[in-house]
Structure formats: structure tokens, C-alpha cells
Amino acid sequence: MTTLKNRRILLGVTGGIAAYKAAELTRLLLQQGATVRVVMTSAATDFVAPLTFQALSGNPVHVELLDPATESAMGHIELARWPELILIAPATADFIAKMRIGLADDLLTTLCLAAEGRIAVAPAMNRAMWDHPATRDNVSVLAARGVVLLGPGSGAQACGETGPGRMLEPAEITAGVSCLLARGRLAARRVLISAGPTREPIDPVRFISNRSSGKMGYALAEAAGRAGAAVTLVSGPTVLPVPAVAEYVPVETAAQMASAILERAPSHDIYIGAAAIADYRPVVTESGKIKKDQEAMSLQLTRTQDVLATLGGSGSRPFLVGFAAETDRLEEHARSKLAAKHLDMIAANWVGGTAGGFDRDENALHVFWADGEHHLPMAPKQRIAEQLIDLIADRYDEKN
Ligand code: CTP
């Protein structure tokens, strides 16, 4: 089991007798696949030598705020930005008090103040210190700020007393950290999603469009968000409520959709093209309403830009996921779009008849990639979206 594979954890060790258990904690975190950097307070070095943590973690141990040796390798601000989680274990009563008031009088307190990721603390102190109103108050202020409390446990203490205040066992802390970081497969990934139809104007009151409702793309935006991604949703006209995403970009025509996507794609890790972008638009958009003064009329159409194919042919491109709506020979068409547009994956579905697809609440998908495929049987679009996001995360992880 490697529940913490490639997760970046900064372990802060403060000066308590439980500091020796932080060595075992380091070993367990690494065993789960995490990358661990250790920062110690100078009091902690009285209990355990930095060399112990350096040998275990395979990384230099930082103690001083402005240590020329480590500062040049990774400065303290860089160090504060590096971790997904700062885990203080053991966290003494003194250190918790410093965190509460925002002191920055050594490296570890400074990192806690400058950190942009999450912070968890595993308190370790004498029972009376834990029960003291000052500590209770400090802990509740930190919790209100979003600091996660792991423990403390209860039991025999180094001072000979028994009661709450004892640091949780390293295995318990590791399990807590795994839970904390298990929030999403796409954490810290930027995902760009297009959804809905486009409208290609014929005159001020008429347009060419299609039956796409946007439901699949919106469900994907929500599922990607739940998986921890920062989502940008570029949407054609729909009647759906705007989901909670990092950026929502409403567009109308294929040209507007193309420029919104192409402009943003370089700053995203994954692009999912769920929009039904018109393949053709009228050559001329009349500025006045067309009158019915002719028995018959014909519209001349011209091709629009294929957004996915453009991205597939560009140098630095996000991981590309296309959709294919087909009425016949589904796998053949989907695989040929996968190859022709240089996609990483394609999700194909039947349209027309009773097969799901457009403007329905349910869908079934056949997902193809170069050397594999997966069938997602008919289910509500929310469920299909979650499964597709999982498949995308699998393939994305494999590619990267
Ligand atoms: N697509 C695109 N830009 C277009 C048209 C389509 O990026 N101008 C994307 C869609 O968002 C979808 C994929 O291409 O992810 C496939 O769309 P689809 O309409 O099924 O296929 P086409 O490539 O347009 O081919 P055809 O219409 O001939 O089946």
C-alpha cells in the first residue's frame, strides 16, 4: 500500500520526549510513498540528532532560519511553499502557543506562518498542560483556522502520570495523514473542460446549434472539482446552474469557444473536450433579419476550427481527452479520432435512438486510449463523470 505516493510532507519536530517517535513516523510516511523533509526546532535536536532524520528521509534536515548551507539549497520561503502538508509531530504546548499567536522566531514557526498548504499537529505534552485553559484555547483557535489536530491520545506519560496529552502512535498519525491527503486524485491539477453546444448565427434571430445540453461537461466539472482539481469551465449556452469552479467562461459561437480554450490550455494540465462544438458555421451572418421573400434558400457553410485537433498538433499541450458522439461503428470512429487528433483518451457514446447521449440524465461511455479501453455502463451522468475522472487520473498518472 502506498497511500501517500509522491505526496510532499514537511515533518516539523519540536522539543519533547516523543521526538524519538518522529523517527519511526518518518519511516512509515516514506513507506507509504511520501517525500519527507524534516525541520527541527533547536530544542528537538537535544532529543534526537538531525542526522537520524537526514539518514531516514534522504534529505537534509533544516534547523536554522538562515542557515547558509541549507538556505542556498532551498530557501525558507521555498521550503514553506514546497509541502502539501506541514505535520508537526510532536507538537509541544510551547510550539502550539507560538503558532496561535503567529510567532516567527525560528525556522519552523516561520514556515507555519508562511505556509500555503495545510498544517496538522500531533500534540504531545503532560496531562495538566494539555488540560490547561491556555492550551485548550490555543488549540481551539488553531482548529478554527483550519489546522488539523491529530490526537493527542491518552495513556501513560513520560512524567509518570496517566491521562490525555500523549502523542498518537506513529502508525495512527500516518493513517490520519493518509486520510487527510486522500482528498482527491487530481489535487493541485488544473483541468480545463468545455461543455454544451455552440450557436452559429445566421442572422440576428436565428442560429445553427445541436442537441447538447451540457449536462455531461458540467457533471465532469463537478467531479473534477471533487477530485481536488482547480477547474476552468468553458461553456456554450445551457440552462444549467453554474457549478462551483475556479473560472467559468460563458461563450456562444465555435470561434469564441476555440479562442477561450486555446488561450487557457497552456496553463492547464488536462483538457476534456465535452462540448459539442459546431463543425460548420454560416459563411455570412446577415446583419438584418432574413425575410421570407424566396420560395427556397440555401445556406453556405464553412468549417470551423477543430479545437482538439489544434491542441493535439501543438507542442506543449495538456493531457487531451476528447468525446465522440456516434450513430454507427462507434469504436472505429472513436479510435480514428483518437489517432487523427493525437488525443490521450477518447470517450465515445451512442447518440440518436434511445441510447442515451444528448440531453439525457444518463449516459454510457466506451473509453479508448492507445493500448486499452474501458466500458462504463449506463448510469446517471454524475456517476459516469466520477468514473471517467478516475480513468483520466489513472492514465494521466501513468503518462506522468
Ligand atoms: N471538437 C473540437 N472542435 C470542433 C469540433 C469538435 O474540439 N470544431 C471536439 C469535440 O469537443 C469532441 C471531439 O472533437 O471532444 C469529437 O467531436 P465529434 O463531433 O464527435 O467529432 P468530429 O471530430 O467533429 O467528427 P465528426 O463530426 O465527423 O464525427
Side-chain angles (χ1 to χ4, degrees):
M1 281 282 283
T2 49
T3 54
L4 293 170
K5 190 155 187 278
N6 296 333
R7 308 308 292 264
R8 301 180 307 279
I9 299 171
L10 189 145
L11 175 62
V13 184
T14 72
I17 182 65
Y20 79 94
K21 290 190 180 177
E24 172 69 357
L25 175 59
T26 307
R27 206 182 60 75
L28 292 179
L29 293 171
L30 287 162
Q31 209 173 60
Q32 293 299 321
T35 306
V36 180
R37 285 181 175 272
V38 179
V39 173
M40 304 176 77
T41 61
S42 93
T45 64
D46 291 336
F47 291 90
V48 187
L51 199 56
T52 305
F53 291 106
Q54 181 167 322
L56 283 170
S57 70
N59 283 314
V61 171
H62 306 254
V63 181
E64 303 298 334
L65 180 54
L66 296 169
D67 175 358
T70 50
E71 194 67 15
S72 62
M74 193 184 245
H76 64 277
I77 294 297
E78 214 182 321
L79 196 56
R81 293 205 180 120
W82 174 81
E84 291 170 76
L85 177 75
I86 294 185
L87 168 65
I88 311 288
T92 60
D94 174 66
F95 195 83
I96 288 172
K98 283 178 169 169
M99 277 179 79
R100 184 251 164 95
I101 53 174
L103 278 192
D105 64 348
D106 67 0
L107 178 60
L108 194 53
T109 47
T110 304
L111 294 179
C112 288
L113 206 55
E116 286 169 351
R118 293 207 279 179
I119 303 181
V121 295
M125 66 196 73
N126 160 272
R127 172 195 58 76
M129 289 166 85
W130 175 251
D131 281 337
H132 195 284
T135 306
R136 316 273 351 131
D137 191 39
N138 290 339
V139 164
S140 69
V141 169
L142 290 181
R145 275 186 214 150
V147 172
V148 175
L149 214 64
L150 299 171
S154 196
Q157 301 199 311
C159 50
E161 295 187 34
T162 302
R166 187 190 150 103
M167 187 172 88
L168 288 186
E169 290 306 320
E172 294 172 300
I173 298 177
T174 305
V177 167
S178 297
C179 264
L180 210 59
L181 291 182
R183 71 205 176 281
R185 309 258 344 248
L186 292 177
R189 299 278 163 241
R190 289 151 306 171
V191 179
L192 177 62
I193 298 176
S194 66
T198 61
R199 287 179 180 172
E200 309 308 318
I202 299 169
D203 69 12
V205 295
R206 305 180 179 98
F207 54 77
I208 299 174
S209 193
N210 58 61
R211 292 186 188 279
S212 168
S213 63
K215 284 176 187 163
M216 193 66 228
Y218 278 51
L220 282 165
E222 279 171 358
R226 282 196 297 276
V231 178
T232 302
L233 178 62
V234 177
S235 174
T238 73
V239 295
L240 305 172
V242 176
V245 288
E247 192 191 3
Y248 178 76
V249 189
V251 296
E252 192 152 323
T253 64
Q256 290 166 356
M257 183 161 284
S259 64
I261 295 165
L262 295 175
E263 186 184 308
R264 288 168 178 80
S267 59
H268 287 76
D269 300 296
I270 297 172
Y271 168 64
I272 308 175
I277 305 175
D279 292 322
Y280 293 90
R281 64 172 172 80
V283 174
V284 178
T285 300
E286 298 295 342
S287 57
K289 187 182 168 202
I290 300 172
K291 293 306 214 178
K292 57 169 188 296
D293 47 15
Q294 304 169 59
E295 269 315 305
M297 68 173 291
S298 52
L299 269 179
Q300 203 188 349
L301 303 178
T302 183
R303 281 281 291 272
T304 58
Q305 182 179 16
D306 190 311
V307 180
L308 264 179
T310 307
L311 287 172
S314 69
S316 80
R317 37 167 263 165
F319 185 89
L320 293 178
V321 184
F323 269 77
E326 307 295 346
T327 51
D328 65 316
R329 290 184 291 159
L330 181 123
E331 173 159 8
E332 186 186 324
H333 288 308
R335 283 214 176 269
S336 86
K337 286 174 192 177
L338 180 75
K341 301 191 191 192
H342 305 285
L343 308 181
D344 294 289
M345 295 175 82
I346 192 155
N349 62 286
W350 292 106
V351 287
T354 55
F358 283 150
D359 206 12
R360 302 268 305 255
D361 291 325
E362 292 202 318
N363 204 2
L365 291 176
H366 298 257
V367 189
F368 302 98
W369 56 95
D371 53 1
E373 64 182 276
H374 193 87
H375 176 60
L376 301 176
M378 188 64 73
K381 282 183 175 170
Q382 271 72 15
R383 175 86 194 105
I384 291 284
E386 270 162 21
Q387 292 173 313
L388 181 58
I389 289 293
D390 254 355
L391 273 179
I392 292 171
D394 284 346
R395 312 252 51 86
Y396 178 85
D397 285 350
E398 198 172 291
K399 187 173 176 183
N400 296 279

